[in-house]
Amino acid sequence: FSRSRDSITDQELLELSEQLYGLDHNKARPSDVAINPQHQVAPDETGLQQDLSPQPLYKYVNEELFSKPTYSSFIKLLDNYQRATGREEEVTAEELREQENFLERVMETQLMKRLFTFLHEKNRYSSQQEFLDDLKEMWFGLYSRGDGEQDSSGFEHVFSGEVKKGKVSGFHNWIRFYLLEKQGAVNYLSHNFNGPWDTFPDVLGLQFSWDGFHKEVGSAFIGSSPEFEFGLYTLCFLARPGRA
């Protein structure tokens, strides 16, 4: 976006993100998800590592949501990663097919089509295939978080979660959290922020442990579709690379 006419203004970011929110037709309905946030800690108490919420975070999730194409293809990707940084990722042919399938499913949604149209108008991509190829590299291309090993990717960090230096890194997805909490692998401790919204997606800042590894503040949308997060984060990454 080096030419001024192709740059993205803050106002355009605001307007497009609201459009993507409105196009999230696969998000949870109020009857699909019930959470129990329990104890709220002060900003200086997020590192306590104490279980101040004896009940699970999720009281109920309508798992029929997970049969939707973008959800089911997303969930298949979650077990493809070694969570420890410094350990080389091995990507199998089946995992590559799962990546391709997920990208195909999200690109079928109105939400991702709107994002592509916007980026196309900004002269960022000349074709949907070019956008698709960039999404693949952007989210699934491997890079190093430690010891020079190809041990991480954008998707692994943001959606699946990692463990680095004994702490949870990334892990910002509600579906991943729900599935692991259901298995007993994640223990919800408390929250430090609960969005003021009464519809989904909501936003929660939470503390939890994952097999004993602590996450001090893990902010996450609650109830959003995989394509909403995928599209919104892609927009932010492309529009403001390396910046907040």
Side-chain angles (χ1 to χ4, degrees):
F1 304 115
S2 55
R3 294 175 298 189
S4 58
R5 69 175 180 275
D6 297 335
S7 65
I8 298 177
T9 66
D10 286 351
Q11 185 61 30
E12 286 173 319
L13 269 181
L14 177 65
E15 290 172 0
L16 181 61
S17 60
E18 288 288 351
Q19 289 171 22
L20 298 181
Y21 178 90
L23 288 169
D24 189 9
H25 303 313
N26 284 327
K27 69 184 177 186
R29 297 163 301 181
S31 60
D32 287 330
V33 178
I35 60 172
N36 182 18
Q38 299 165 82
H39 189 81
Q40 182 167 356
V41 295
D44 61 349
E45 295 177 322
T46 57
L48 288 176
Q49 301 191 33
Q50 294 175 6
D51 189 351
L52 301 171
S53 302
Q55 301 299 316
L57 173 61
Y58 286 92
K59 288 197 289 189
Y60 171 75
V61 171
N62 176 10
E63 294 194 10
E64 288 182 14
L65 276 174
F66 301 159
S67 64
K68 294 185 177 187
T70 57
Y71 283 80
S72 60
S73 58
F74 172 81
I75 289 168
K76 280 192 172 74
L77 294 168
L78 295 174
D79 64 357
N80 290 356
Y81 300 100
Q82 304 239 24
R83 69 181 177 190
T85 57
R87 293 176 64 182
E88 186 101 7
E89 290 290 344
E90 294 180 19
V91 184
T92 66
E94 182 182 2
E95 289 171 353
L96 287 173
R97 285 194 297 271
E98 289 175 352
Q99 293 173 12
E100 298 266 2
N101 185 48
F102 172 72
L103 290 171
E104 287 173 11
R105 297 291 82 77
V106 296
M107 287 307 299
E108 289 168 354
T109 65
Q110 286 181 263
L111 189 155
M112 287 298 287
K113 286 176 179 174
R114 176 68 190 102
L115 176 60
F116 167 71
T117 299
F118 175 83
L119 295 170
H120 180 63
E121 289 168 351
K122 289 290 183 178
N123 297 308
R124 183 64 176 83
Y125 300 105
S126 59
S127 68
Q128 186 165 305
Q129 186 59 50
E130 188 183 359
F131 181 43
L132 202 57
D133 291 342
D134 202 25
L135 285 172
K136 192 183 304 181
E137 180 59 32
M138 188 189 313
W139 283 101
F140 298 108
L142 296 173
Y143 58 85
S144 176
R145 278 190 183 272
D147 302 327
E149 302 285 353
Q150 297 291 290
D151 61 349
S152 188
S153 68
F155 186 93
E156 177 184 6
H157 178 81
V158 172
F159 293 108
S160 184
E162 302 174 286
V163 172
K164 184 176 183 181
K165 296 180 180 176
K167 292 184 177 180
V168 176
S169 179
F171 196 143
H172 300 285
N173 180 255
W174 76 272
I175 301 166
R176 172 71 160 163
F177 191 100
Y178 166 74
L179 292 172
L180 287 179
E181 185 177 59
K182 186 179 172 185
Q183 293 171 20
V186 160
N187 181 28
Y188 171 71
L189 306 176
S190 58
H191 68 285
N192 62 296
F193 175 81
N194 190 352
W197 303 279
D198 55 9
T199 59
F200 292 121
D202 201 349
V203 175
L204 200 66
L206 57 158
Q207 291 69 51
F208 61 91
S209 65
W210 180 15
D211 288 337
F213 299 104
H214 186 244
K215 180 70 175 181
E216 187 165 328
V217 179
S219 56
F221 284 106
I222 309 292
S224 56
S225 70
E227 61 265 31
F228 175 73
E229 291 187 64
F230 193 74
L232 190 66
Y233 303 156
T234 295
L235 171 64
C236 294
F237 180 75
L238 292 171
R240 300 287 184 270
R243 285 186 280 162

